[in-house]
Amino acid sequence: MNPHNFDNNDFNNSTTTTTVKVDEDGLPIISKCPFLQQQQLQNYRQQQQQNNLINSEQEHKQKFEGTSTSTSNNNNLSISFEELHGIKPKPTERIPVTYNSYIQTDNLLHLQGAGVKGGLHHHDEHLFIVVHQSFELWFKQILFELDSIQHLMKKIVSPLLLSNNNNNEDDSPIIVNNNTNENNKEENQYNNNDNNNERKVLINNEVHAHHSISLTTPSNTPIYIYTTEGEMTIEQTQILVHRLHRSDQILRYSLGTFDILENMHPADFLEFRDLIGPASGFQSVQMRELEVLLGLKDSNRKLTGGRTSYETDIVHDKIGLKRLQLRKADYNLKQLVYRWLELIIYPKVPKDFIEVFLQKKKENLLDQKSRWFNPETEKDLIEKYIAKELRPAKDWIDIADVLDYLPSSKQHVHPMEGNKELNEEEMKQRKLAIKKKERIKKRRIACLFVMCFRHHHRLWEYANLLDKLVAFEEALLLWRTRHVRMVERMIGTRSGTGGSSGVDYLEGTLKYRVFMDLWQSRSHFIQSTCLPAVEYDYDKKVFYFVENKKH
């Protein structure tokens, strides 16, 4: 039977049911009647959206409850080869595949008709849609890459993170596994047993003797996980670096798409711009997901048009809003990378690293300024410039640039000031502030150490990882910058279709930074040749300086 035959029964079928028939490839069977085409496609999209919502909820349920479909062993936090490379079991039966069915070409090519507003109203509108769809597809690929990095980093960092009791506003629970029976009293007796470092740990109904930690699911169900040292293998680090680099390259590649869009004359854009409001780039859920996954704080966002939250613009998109909220409840990459530096890299740093670093930096500055100025006649000027550049480095390492905010007193204070009497809440906030500053100092020292000794075989890939994070954020800033200039060329200083101030708002987003400590470290580390060499003690698991040996 020809699926495209058109008769009166098509009217009856289309009005009595919202279910759209599909062919063997899963594609909708569309009537030849133009009136019915639009209605059937709308019904098909509704079905797809419902299916996507169900799949999204199942996917995130698996993500948060640890029910992975991979072939890796879930009894601990180890990462198998299959999990690391995203390898799934092959189907046992033969499935015939065509280019069209695999790429879903027909579905893809039916998405540029602007049917939501009655079709295209200008020739260049088709280009406008294709360009924005291409951006969304690239965003999806970037999120796919970064999600895998987040998953691997959580497995690497979570044991040490939770065992160090980092409970503050920056930390959220990591859900690793959830096969715990709530009614099992034997399991619950291990919860909050802080005095027993080596104790029985329940993993998938099996008892293990090891250092353990407990955590809580969103439903307050205690679960137990097996702790590991948190080391990254060379292969794991290379995979993380590779996927970060790919995400970076995608953003840089997509910059050329703006050139194509600018082929459309601004006057031609105005021919259909009135018809697409109040739709706006504000409503790109994937861009918001990318920002949240990286670790951009809500308090650092620039809002416009009287908005109190960026979520205001996507309340109509229930599926997208659900995804975004789930991401906000999970660890972001900034938190994971910073905890990795604090808890895994910092303990390996030589205890006298900062002392040696600052001394060598001072010597390096003296050598530099003595070449730029005359040491005999401009000694005071040389000392002035050395102090000018050395002081910021000391302040940055000692966290003198970080103020601690006490919400109850509504003022900025130094955590060690003790003349003022504080209530219980203020004392709690002050202790958290001190603890947070200690963590910041640890990650900054760890970052400096990795970058200064990046040529060491045990630090090379770690340095690459930090560099690629900065490179990716740079690429995102370049994308935002190119977007702003394109918008300015197209609409000048007009207000945006979503009610924003347009270019003025977009200019504000260029100040967004996520990995601030990694950016700031560029101002302070020195060339490796100025430092003594380091070696790694495999027994003590710490680096140490080698006397009379240059790096």
Side-chain angles (χ1 to χ4, degrees):
M1 176 180 179
N2 186 347
H4 299 295
N5 282 340
F6 165 58
D7 55 33
N8 291 333
N9 291 330
D10 286 345
F11 286 97
N12 297 329
N13 293 336
S14 65
T15 56
T16 58
T17 179
T18 59
T19 302
V20 178
K21 296 181 180 180
V22 296
D23 59 21
E24 59 184 8
D25 292 326
L27 301 176
I29 300 175
I30 305 300
S31 170
K32 284 187 176 181
C33 173
F35 172 79
L36 293 177
Q37 283 181 4
Q38 185 173 357
Q39 185 175 357
Q40 288 179 327
L41 283 172
Q42 182 178 1
N43 292 339
Y44 176 72
R45 292 190 188 103
Q46 289 176 349
Q47 287 180 216
Q48 292 295 97
Q49 288 180 349
Q50 184 63 30
N51 292 338
N52 289 340
L53 178 59
I54 295 173
N55 293 335
S56 177
E57 290 179 345
Q58 290 176 345
E59 176 184 343
H60 283 286
K61 184 178 180 181
Q62 290 176 350
K63 178 179 179 182
F64 277 79
E65 294 184 356
T67 53
S68 173
T69 57
S70 70
T71 59
S72 63
N73 182 5
N74 284 328
N75 286 348
N76 56 49
L77 298 180
S78 63
I79 302 172
S80 69
F81 178 87
E82 291 80 7
E83 184 177 12
L84 181 63
H85 293 272
I87 299 174
K88 308 292 183 182
K90 294 181 180 180
T92 54
E93 69 279 6
R94 180 182 179 275
I95 303 176
V97 178
T98 66
Y99 179 86
N100 183 39
S101 63
Y102 181 65
I103 303 298
Q104 292 289 288
T105 314
D106 288 344
N107 278 345
L108 190 63
L109 300 183
H110 274 87
L111 302 177
Q112 294 77 40
V116 69
K117 67 178 187 62
L120 301 174
H121 287 82
H122 190 276
H123 177 84
D124 285 359
E125 189 176 357
H126 191 277
L127 173 67
F128 184 81
I129 294 174
V130 169
V131 164
H132 285 79
Q133 287 179 344
S134 71
F135 280 135
E136 291 295 332
L137 284 173
W138 284 129
F139 290 161
K140 182 174 183 178
Q141 182 63 39
I142 291 172
L143 287 170
F144 183 75
E145 304 294 344
L146 298 186
D147 277 339
S148 70
I149 295 172
Q150 179 200 40
H151 173 74
L152 295 174
M153 286 296 293
K154 280 168 64 174
K155 279 208 163 187
I156 293 165
V157 175
S158 59
L160 291 178
L161 173 64
L162 292 167
S163 63
N164 278 268
N165 297 321
N166 286 299
N167 298 320
N168 57 50
E169 69 281 1
D170 289 335
D171 293 322
S172 305
I174 291 182
I175 306 306
V176 180
N177 200 348
N178 190 15
N179 292 334
T180 306
N181 182 352
E182 296 183 20
N183 298 322
N184 193 329
K185 294 182 180 180
E186 183 180 1
E187 299 174 22
N188 294 331
Q189 67 179 323
Y190 303 117
N191 194 22
N192 297 323
N193 185 6
D194 296 329
N195 297 322
N196 186 8
N197 290 327
E198 184 162 337
R199 54 186 182 270
K200 302 295 182 181
V201 186
L202 187 71
I203 308 170
N204 293 343
N205 299 322
E206 296 181 8
V207 176
H208 300 261
H210 200 83
H211 294 279
S212 69
I213 45 179
S214 64
L215 55 154
T216 305
T217 66
S219 60
N220 294 321
T221 304
I223 58 181
Y224 303 90
I225 60 177
Y226 180 86
T227 62
T228 61
E229 184 186 359
E231 289 279 5
M232 256 195 284
T233 65
I234 293 177
E235 182 184 19
Q236 290 168 359
T237 315
Q238 287 176 341
I239 288 292
L240 297 181
V241 169
H242 175 66
R243 291 173 184 173
L244 269 174
H245 181 62
R246 177 183 293 167
S247 302
D248 168 39
Q249 291 299 297
I250 289 173
L251 278 177
R252 294 175 193 270
Y253 168 82
S254 70
L255 294 177
T257 310
F258 290 110
D259 296 333
I260 299 173
L261 187 58
E262 286 178 341
N263 185 259
M264 175 178 64
H265 194 277
D268 291 330
F269 177 47
L270 294 179
E271 292 292 340
F272 63 89
R273 183 173 183 261
D274 294 344
L275 302 175
I276 61 176
S280 168
F282 272 140
Q283 299 167 343
S284 173
V285 175
Q286 289 196 121
M287 174 56 82
R288 303 288 86 81
E289 283 188 89
L290 177 57
E291 293 169 345
V292 170
L293 180 56
L294 285 176
L296 180 64
K297 290 185 176 181
D298 289 354
S299 58
N300 293 338
R301 291 181 181 275
K302 179 179 174 64
L303 299 176
T304 185
R307 293 170 173 82
T308 56
S309 171
Y310 65 95
E311 294 183 4
T312 303
D313 296 280
I314 55 178
V315 291
H316 64 283
D317 187 348
K318 295 182 180 180
I319 299 174
L321 187 60
K322 176 75 171 179
R323 287 203 317 266
L324 195 60
Q325 290 170 342
L326 286 170
R327 286 195 183 278
K328 291 178 70 174
D330 202 359
Y331 269 88
N332 57 56
L333 291 180
K334 175 184 175 181
Q335 291 171 325
L336 292 169
V337 171
Y338 280 4
R339 301 309 182 268
W340 170 69
L341 288 170
E342 297 158 14
L343 303 173
I344 298 175
I345 302 302
Y346 176 77
K348 303 180 186 302
V349 178
K351 292 183 178 180
D352 55 345
F353 167 65
I354 291 303
E355 179 184 350
V356 172
F357 172 81
L358 291 175
Q359 178 61 35
K360 295 300 180 182
K361 184 176 180 67
K362 183 177 181 180
E363 294 175 5
N364 174 249
L365 288 171
L366 177 60
D367 178 70
Q368 181 192 82
K369 304 310 177 188
S370 297
R371 295 173 184 275
W372 294 0
F373 304 98
N374 190 329
E376 296 181 359
T377 61
E378 299 177 297
K379 183 178 179 180
D380 291 342
L381 186 61
I382 290 174
E383 291 179 353
K384 177 183 176 181
Y385 276 109
I386 290 175
K388 183 179 179 181
E389 294 190 34
L390 193 60
R391 172 52 58 186
K394 290 181 178 178
D395 289 346
W396 188 75
I397 294 170
D398 292 333
I399 323 299
D401 62 323
V402 177
L403 295 173
D404 301 288
Y405 185 66
L406 299 181
S408 56
S409 59
K410 300 298 181 184
Q411 61 180 336
H412 291 84
V413 299
H414 191 279
M416 301 310 294
E417 293 175 357
N419 295 331
K420 179 183 175 182
E421 292 186 4
L422 303 176
N423 59 38
E424 183 178 349
E425 180 60 25
E426 287 176 325
M427 285 297 295
K428 179 181 178 181
Q429 293 299 323
R430 177 158 295 186
K431 289 179 180 179
L432 286 175
I434 294 173
K435 184 177 179 181
K436 185 174 181 180
K437 288 188 69 171
E438 290 173 350
R439 286 176 36 217
I440 295 174
K441 184 173 183 177
K442 288 179 179 180
R443 69 173 175 249
R444 289 182 176 181
I445 291 175
C447 177
L448 274 181
F449 179 75
V450 170
M451 299 311 297
C452 285
F453 296 97
R454 65 191 180 281
H455 297 303
H456 193 281
H457 67 278
R458 285 189 61 87
L459 297 174
W460 173 249
E461 293 298 343
Y462 293 169
N464 273 344
L465 178 61
L466 299 181
D467 272 336
K468 291 305 178 184
L469 286 167
V470 174
F472 177 76
E473 190 167 9
E474 178 192 41
L476 185 56
L477 290 169
L478 290 173
W479 191 94
R480 292 187 192 276
T481 301
R482 188 65 183 87
H483 180 225
V484 174
R485 300 284 74 86
M486 182 275 297
V487 171
E488 185 176 19
R489 177 174 174 175
M490 284 292 174
I491 66 171
T493 58
R494 301 170 191 261
S495 297
T497 51
S500 74
S501 54
V503 171
D504 180 62
Y505 159 75
L506 294 174
E507 290 278 9
T509 65
L510 301 183
K511 298 179 181 179
Y512 288 174
R513 294 291 190 281
V514 175
F515 299 98
M516 186 61 73
D517 286 330
L518 303 188
W519 284 96
Q520 291 174 346
S521 69
R522 265 62 181 164
S523 302
H524 306 301
F525 61 73
I526 59 177
Q527 58 264 46
S528 303
T529 51
C530 294
L531 295 163
V534 294
E535 296 295 345
Y536 188 70
D537 188 325
Y538 286 88
D539 293 327
K540 297 180 180 179
K541 298 180 180 179
V542 66
F543 286 90
Y544 62 93
F545 288 109
V546 180
E547 295 182 5
N548 303 321
K549 183 179 179 182
K550 279 290 184 180
H551 185 74

